[in-house]
């Protein structure tokens, strides 16, 4: 009986000690956790970026946004991930979130291009980012830079034409869309946009012609006013018509004509009147 009690007491003492050692061991394991590898994180971010792009192409915008979100967490300097995340948010109707990501993309692309100025794809994506922010002049600048680095990409010329159309620069837009069709004759979007740009050229031409006609009419009106008299001069009173001799004789006979008596020679004015 005593032996059993002794065994029980020993067991009660051993169990808490084991648990305490296990807890200490677990704590030591957590404190010595291996830090994340930046190279591995950047590599994983690019994998997630490509995954998100495929999901976005397949119209799976929510899943694409999740993949891009994970990518920017692993690599905040991955400019394309911010840009693509902005596109996904825009597709989901999250305008404020999209704008925030576009702005982050602009900052990260600028930083990247300062070290890699000949990356045509980066210039093109930065142009698209500016277009997402409705900054079309900046977008045109980046698209043009991209075409200098690569001149066989139909999409770049198409987006360049679209930005120029937004700026009502229809002549240049026609050239950009024509170049896009030259590279890819089956680009139906460029074909439709080219027709719209040509209509814009016609509207601008008609507007200029109308303004020129109005200017000519205005000058003609001013010339006519100038011929009527100098500005500010009093109007000239019309000369009354001279009455015929018969009418004057009749008026004189009837006493309607009042004549002033002639003064005597040598008398004039009030002095002559006083002397009388």
């Amino acid at each position: 009986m005593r032996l059993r009690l002794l065994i029980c007491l020993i067991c009660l003492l051993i169990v808490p000690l084991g648990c305490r050692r296990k807890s200490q061991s677990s704590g030591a394991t957590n404190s010595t956790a291996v830090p994340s590898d930046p190279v591995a994180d950047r590599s994983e971010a690019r994998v997630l970026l490509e995954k998100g792009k495929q999901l976005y192409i397949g119209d799976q915008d929510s899943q694409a946004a999740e993949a891009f979100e994970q990518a920017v967490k692993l690599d905040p300097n991955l400019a394309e991930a911010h840009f693509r995340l902005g596109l996904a948010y825009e597709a989901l109707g999250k305008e404020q979130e999209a704008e925030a990501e576009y702005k982050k993309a602009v900052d990260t692309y600028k930083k990247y291009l300062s070290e890699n100025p000949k990356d045509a794809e980066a210039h093109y994506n930065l142009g698209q980012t500016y277009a997402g922010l409705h900054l079309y002049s900046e977008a045109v600048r980046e698209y043009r830079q991209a075409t200098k680095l690569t001149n066989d990409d139909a999409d770049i010329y198409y987006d360049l034409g679209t930005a120029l159309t937004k700026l009502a620069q229809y002549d240049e837009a026609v050239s950009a869309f024509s170049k896009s069709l030259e590279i890819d004759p089956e680009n139906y979007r460029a074909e439709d946009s080219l027709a719209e740009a040509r209509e814009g050229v016609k509207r601008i031409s008609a507007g200029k012609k109308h303004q020129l006609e109005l200017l000519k009419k205005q000058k003609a009106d001013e010339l006519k006013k100038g011929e009527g008299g100098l500005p500010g001069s009093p109007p000239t009173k019309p000369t009354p018509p001279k009455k015929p001799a018969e009418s004057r004789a009749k008026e004189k006979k009837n006493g309607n004509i009042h004549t002033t008596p002639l003064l005597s020679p040598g008398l004039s004015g009030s002095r002559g009147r006083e002397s009388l």
Side-chain angles (χ1 to χ4, degrees):
M1 185 70 179
R2 290 180 180 179
L3 182 59
R4 290 180 181 178
L5 290 172
L6 183 60
I7 292 171
C8 290
L9 288 172
I10 291 172
C11 291
L12 290 173
L13 290 172
I14 290 173
V15 170
L17 287 172
C19 293
R20 187 179 300 171
R21 286 178 181 175
K22 185 176 180 181
S23 176
Q24 290 176 351
S25 176
S26 176
T29 302
N30 292 334
S31 63
T32 58
V34 179
S36 60
D37 182 3
V39 176
D41 287 347
R42 286 195 294 270
S43 178
E44 181 64 22
R46 291 197 170 277
V47 171
L48 288 166
L49 172 62
E50 294 302 320
K51 177 184 177 182
K53 287 163 71 173
Q54 294 302 317
L55 290 167
Y56 182 78
I57 292 172
D59 292 329
Q60 301 180 53
D61 300 323
S62 296
Q63 294 89 330
E66 290 176 3
F68 296 139
E69 286 170 350
Q70 294 175 22
V72 296
K73 285 180 181 178
L74 290 171
D75 187 3
N77 292 321
L78 187 54
E80 188 176 356
H82 287 291
F83 164 59
R84 300 290 176 185
L85 181 55
L87 288 177
Y89 280 150
E90 189 172 357
L92 293 169
K94 298 180 178 180
E95 295 182 1
Q96 293 182 349
E97 292 86 344
E99 183 178 353
E101 289 303 320
Y102 285 145
K103 289 179 178 178
K104 290 178 183 177
V106 167
D107 293 337
T108 49
Y109 267 125
K110 284 182 176 180
K111 182 179 178 181
Y112 172 79
L113 285 168
S114 66
E115 300 174 358
N116 305 273
K118 294 186 178 181
D119 190 332
E121 187 71 17
H123 281 289
Y124 175 46
N125 287 342
L126 178 54
Q128 289 183 295
T129 305
Y130 278 128
L133 292 169
H134 309 291
L135 300 173
Y136 298 109
S137 295
E138 290 82 351
V140 167
R141 182 189 66 218
E142 295 302 323
Y143 291 146
R144 290 195 188 282
Q145 186 61 32
T147 60
K148 291 178 182 178
L149 297 167
T150 177
N151 59 0
D152 60 350
D153 192 320
D155 290 335
I156 297 177
Y157 283 101
Y158 171 78
D159 286 329
L160 172 59
T162 301
L164 289 166
T165 300
K166 293 289 186 180
L167 296 171
Q169 298 177 16
Y170 297 112
D171 286 325
E172 296 180 54
V174 167
S175 298
F177 290 132
S178 298
K179 182 65 176 178
S180 180
L181 281 170
E182 180 184 328
I183 298 169
D184 181 10
E186 296 182 0
N187 190 342
Y188 69 92
R189 295 188 306 162
E191 188 175 352
D192 293 341
S193 298
L194 176 59
E196 292 177 7
R198 284 173 173 164
E199 287 297 322
V201 171
K202 291 179 181 179
R203 289 196 301 272
I204 293 293
S205 179
K208 288 181 178 179
K209 184 178 179 181
H210 180 64
Q211 287 180 348
L212 185 60
E213 290 175 353
L214 288 177
L215 185 60
K216 287 181 179 179
K217 185 177 182 299
Q218 183 180 358
K219 287 183 178 180
D221 292 342
E222 290 175 356
L223 187 61
K224 288 180 181 179
K225 289 180 180 178
E227 291 174 353
L230 293 175
S233 60
T236 305
K237 292 183 179 180
T239 304
K242 195 172 182 180
K243 294 182 180 180
E246 291 183 13
S247 176
R248 290 204 305 274
K250 187 181 291 184
E251 289 179 354
K252 187 173 181 181
K253 184 178 180 181
N254 294 333
N256 292 335
I257 297 178
H258 302 280
T259 59
T260 303
L262 296 175
L263 297 177
S264 302
L267 300 178
S268 63
S270 57
R271 285 185 64 187
R273 193 179 295 272
E274 287 174 1
S275 63
L276 290 173

